[in-house]
Amino acid sequence: MVELRKRKAPAPPPVVQKKSKSTPKAKESETITPSQSSTQKVPQVDDIIDLEGFGGEIETNDGTKTSLKKLVEESSAGVVLFTYPKASTPGCTKQACLFRDNYKHLTSTGLSIYGLSADSPKANTTFQTRQNLPYPLLCDPSATLISAVGLKKSPKGITRGVFAVDKKGQVLLRESGGPDATVDFVQALVALKSSKESVQDQESSEGK
């Protein structure tokens, strides 16, 4: 009598688990400390900067020692820094004059405007005087603050751009661009800020 052996059933194919698409998390503001800034941790919009020591010490074109923290404390609503490669050159002159011509509007919401470069106090004072600039020019020969805000070229040089931070240390703006673009970025920021303040005023009056 022939014994029939039962054939083993074929093993089921391995189950391939599909990777579930994770829902992107909403961006949370990140606090950037001075130690992080020194390791090239560039702050992004909505990040919170620890202003203590951020960017090191700089000076105004009249030779006054200062820092980003001090400039923010002295402002009404925050600080706007526009960076330029070299004082009194054509592109930088155009940029500085655009900020001059729009100065009243750009400061209408309490933001303080400063030009920032690696030029010497003497070069920046000459630049400010010749162009009749209504705002101070900041001298950062070691490019410590320029590097901290992510607008230093490698290995050397400065990227034309703009950086803005409010009283709480929150980054409002960080962009690079030509002379016109840097002013346009700040114009858009001011318009947004004005719109928010109008809504808040309206809600406040309606709540009374």
Side-chain angles (χ1 to χ4, degrees):
M1 185 173 180
V2 180
E3 183 179 350
L4 298 177
R5 294 182 179 180
K6 292 183 180 181
R7 298 176 64 184
K8 291 183 179 181
V15 178
V16 179
Q17 293 183 345
K18 293 183 178 180
K19 292 182 179 180
S20 59
K21 294 182 178 180
S22 57
T23 305
K25 294 182 179 180
K27 182 182 177 183
E28 297 179 359
S29 61
E30 183 180 354
T31 300
I32 308 297
T33 64
S35 59
Q36 286 177 310
S37 68
S38 64
T39 56
Q40 303 306 308
K41 176 68 175 178
V42 176
Q44 303 298 323
V45 172
D46 292 334
D47 284 347
I48 307 295
I49 296 174
D50 180 357
L51 292 168
E52 189 66 50
F54 186 87
E57 187 179 71
I58 51 177
E59 63 180 310
T60 59
N61 60 280
D62 64 3
T64 303
K65 302 291 184 180
T66 189
S67 64
L68 181 60
K69 180 177 185 289
K70 187 173 181 180
L71 295 177
V72 171
E73 289 174 346
E74 292 170 349
S75 71
S76 297
V79 165
V80 172
L81 306 174
F82 71 87
T83 57
Y84 54 96
K86 191 170 180 61
S88 299
T89 54
C92 299
T93 298
K94 179 181 180 182
Q95 182 185 23
C97 290
L98 284 169
F99 274 95
R100 176 198 66 195
D101 297 343
N102 292 279
Y103 181 75
K104 186 175 180 179
H105 176 64
L106 296 177
T107 57
S108 61
T109 58
L111 293 171
S112 297
I113 304 291
Y114 295 91
L116 173 65
S117 75
D119 292 299
S120 67
K122 182 179 179 181
N124 270 331
T125 297
T126 299
F127 188 30
Q128 185 194 48
T129 303
R130 284 181 178 174
Q131 305 306 328
N132 194 28
L133 305 179
Y135 48 81
L137 299 178
L138 303 175
C139 308
D140 185 16
S142 299
T144 53
L145 180 54
I146 296 167
S147 294
V149 300
L151 291 170
K152 184 180 183 299
K153 288 181 180 178
S154 180
K156 63 179 181 178
I158 297 170
T159 298
R160 192 187 309 281
V162 65
F163 177 85
V165 60
D166 69 9
K167 295 282 284 184
K168 297 177 181 178
Q170 183 171 16
V171 179
L172 305 175
L173 177 66
R174 193 186 76 83
E175 292 284 354
S176 60
D180 295 275
T182 53
V183 177
D184 290 342
F185 289 136
V186 183
Q187 295 272 29
L189 175 63
V190 170
L192 179 63
K193 201 167 183 297
S194 296
S195 177
K196 286 182 178 180
E197 288 177 355
S198 296
V199 171
Q200 291 173 351
D201 290 343
Q202 184 176 353
E203 290 176 346
S204 178
S205 61
E206 288 176 354
K208 292 180 180 179

